[in-house]
Amino acid sequence: MKTIIGLGDPKAVKKYSAFLAVDVGRESYFNRKFMGVGEESQMPIQTLPHLESDAGDNISYDLCMQLKMQPIEGDNTLEGKEEDLKFYTDSVYIDQARGGVNTGGRMTRKRTIHDLRRTARVRQGEWWARLFDELIFMYLSGARGVGSDFIFPTTYTGFATNTLVAPDSQHILYGDGTSKATLTVAGIMTLTVIERAVTRAATMGGGTSGLPAIQPIKIEGEERYVIVMHTYQAHSLRNNSTTGQWLDVQKALATAVGNKSPIFMGGMGYHRNTVLHEHRAIIRFSDYGAGANLPAARALFLGRQAGVVAFGSPGTGLRFDWHEESRDNGNQAVISTSSIFGTKKTAFTIDGASRDFGVIALDTYAVDPA
């Protein structure tokens, strides 16, 4: 006899919930390259699993600042002069998100040879991966930007009460000029812009400054950063380098220590310990320049722990839930999926001001070369 797993069968629910999680992990840009689990992760995006088995809708995490006291020398008294540990706290909220597929009526399913349950799983896996990537790009950028090719509308302000927060003044650089209004058509993405970002990351914060320093990603004992830029910015970079310069950047990628790491895979180049990537979902704008009419894109210079993603279990022990039901007197088969999660850019309030932790925005003029 043939084994049949019917609509809504618990075995199918658990099986396809697990398959969906695998699909999303494989399809998601950030999950494949830049995500690690736990607060000790060396990757740009931390996955916080604290609420997968515990109740609650909020996770708090701390930044402990470096010590900066002057040493007590000789036999001078240390008692009473010890420095206190300074902690700053950030938090991320989680909420439920859901999507669904109606596989049609009995005759629709009868007329096709496709396994509609499997097809629904694959399509929803792609949808969830895109959803997560878009959210992470928006949160790291602190804006939704323009463009109609997102799931989320241009009016979107955030998920699970985690609002989108614009970069602070220390964590944004421009292709030219010093502000959104002073950007010109000459302010494209160049190696000079990348050099400025690396220099800013290497010298900003830490020590006695009272500001957190961007922590590099550690790969095989070496310190690395990542830049993800829009495809338009990548085009400018490739076509405005001097003779041989872009070729050197590509060669450096092939010979860098740790080049088999996920953060290197698919990279377009490597410069000053920074792996260069491009992606079409980088946030774009249309209101830069003195006339507020220039197109621009916000590349992301990433160090360790630039953002967080927190998950809560829907009760199955998995990050995704799969639900099947029939409608219209059993004629239609509907499959819905859900996940409980939250994501945001890591930022800490220091001396009354919000400070980004692991990301610098690189805003440059960016136009479709076609």
Side-chain angles (χ1 to χ4, degrees):
M1 295 181 62
K2 183 177 180 181
T3 300
I4 299 176
I5 299 178
L7 185 69
D9 189 291
K11 293 186 290 298
V13 169
K14 185 131 188 176
K15 172 184 175 182
Y16 280 91
S17 294
F19 280 167
L20 183 63
V22 172
D23 286 348
V24 173
R26 183 170 53 236
E27 293 289 337
S28 168
Y29 177 73
F30 278 96
N31 196 89
R32 283 185 289 117
K33 295 179 181 294
F34 306 134
M35 293 181 73
V37 179
E39 295 180 18
E40 301 303 317
S41 168
Q42 296 287 318
M43 301 302 281
I45 305 297
Q46 287 182 331
T47 301
L48 303 178
H50 304 59
L51 297 178
E52 290 187 343
S53 57
D54 293 333
D57 65 353
N58 176 269
I59 295 176
S60 295
Y61 45 95
D62 295 326
L63 166 69
C64 184
M65 296 296 288
Q66 293 177 316
L67 298 177
K68 57 183 181 180
M69 68 172 288
Q70 181 178 339
I72 303 301
E73 301 177 12
D75 287 332
N76 292 325
T77 302
L78 173 61
E79 184 178 351
K81 300 176 183 176
E82 300 90 350
E83 184 177 358
D84 61 322
L85 293 174
K86 292 181 175 62
F87 288 93
Y88 297 98
T89 301
D90 192 20
S91 61
V92 58
Y93 285 89
I94 64 173
D95 201 351
Q96 178 180 232
R98 295 186 294 167
V101 172
N102 189 324
T103 64
R106 286 194 185 95
M107 287 308 301
T108 297
R109 300 194 299 276
K110 188 73 173 175
R111 292 187 184 106
T112 179
I113 62 173
H114 296 297
D115 180 343
L116 294 179
R117 179 186 273 158
R118 179 183 180 279
T119 302
R121 189 202 88 209
V122 172
R123 293 287 85 82
Q124 291 208 55
E126 295 168 346
W127 180 81
W128 278 107
R130 181 180 174 189
L131 183 148
F132 279 114
D133 285 341
E134 287 186 11
L135 281 172
I136 293 172
F137 275 122
M138 287 190 292
Y139 275 103
L140 292 178
S141 302
R144 162 58 177 87
V146 299
S148 59
D149 54 345
F150 266 44
I151 293 172
F152 298 93
T154 55
T155 55
Y156 197 70
T157 58
F159 175 69
T161 73
N162 303 308
T163 56
L164 304 179
V165 179
D168 65 79
S169 60
Q170 296 294 314
H171 290 81
I172 187 168
L173 293 171
Y174 298 90
D176 64 350
T178 57
S179 68
K180 175 178 178 178
T182 57
L183 185 75
T184 72
V185 295
I188 60 175
M189 177 61 72
T190 64
L191 289 183
T192 300
V193 175
I194 295 171
E195 292 267 359
R196 289 168 56 203
V198 176
T199 300
R200 173 70 62 88
T203 59
M204 178 179 60
T208 61
S209 68
L211 295 176
I214 292 183
Q215 301 297 314
I217 304 158
K218 292 286 184 69
I219 299 174
E220 296 184 14
E222 300 294 328
E223 297 183 344
R224 303 285 183 254
Y225 298 104
V226 170
I227 289 180
V228 186
M229 65 188 75
H230 193 272
T231 307
Y232 297 166
Q233 293 174 306
H235 178 86
S236 296
L237 184 63
R238 290 189 184 101
N239 289 276
N240 282 274
S241 298
T242 57
T243 302
Q245 196 172 16
W246 179 247
L247 183 61
D248 292 341
V249 170
Q250 289 180 300
K251 286 180 179 178
L253 182 70
T255 58
V257 173
N259 61 14
K260 300 303 181 184
S261 166
I263 73 164
F264 280 86
M265 304 308 292
M268 54 185 275
Y270 180 71
H271 184 65
R272 280 198 64 187
N273 293 328
T274 304
V275 187
L276 312 181
H277 287 265
E278 62 176 299
H279 198 285
R280 61 179 292 175
I282 281 288
I283 300 301
R284 294 185 295 121
F285 304 95
S286 60
D287 58 349
Y288 275 50
N293 61 349
L294 293 184
R298 176 164 291 168
L300 300 170
F301 180 94
L302 303 174
R304 195 190 321 167
Q305 302 168 346
V308 296
V309 176
F311 285 96
S313 172
T316 61
L318 300 168
R319 290 177 177 173
F320 294 89
D321 194 28
W322 180 280
H323 178 76
E324 300 177 358
E325 66 180 56
S326 61
R327 295 179 187 171
D328 187 22
N329 295 314
N331 184 54
Q332 297 182 10
V334 178
I335 297 171
S336 62
T337 54
S338 63
S339 182
I340 299 174
F341 69 96
T343 184
K344 71 185 297 290
K345 175 172 60 176
T346 305
F348 299 94
T349 300
I350 299 174
D351 296 330
S354 177
R355 302 289 186 185
D356 293 346
F357 181 64
V359 57
I360 298 175
L362 306 180
D363 289 10
T364 72
Y365 176 74
V367 65
D368 184 351

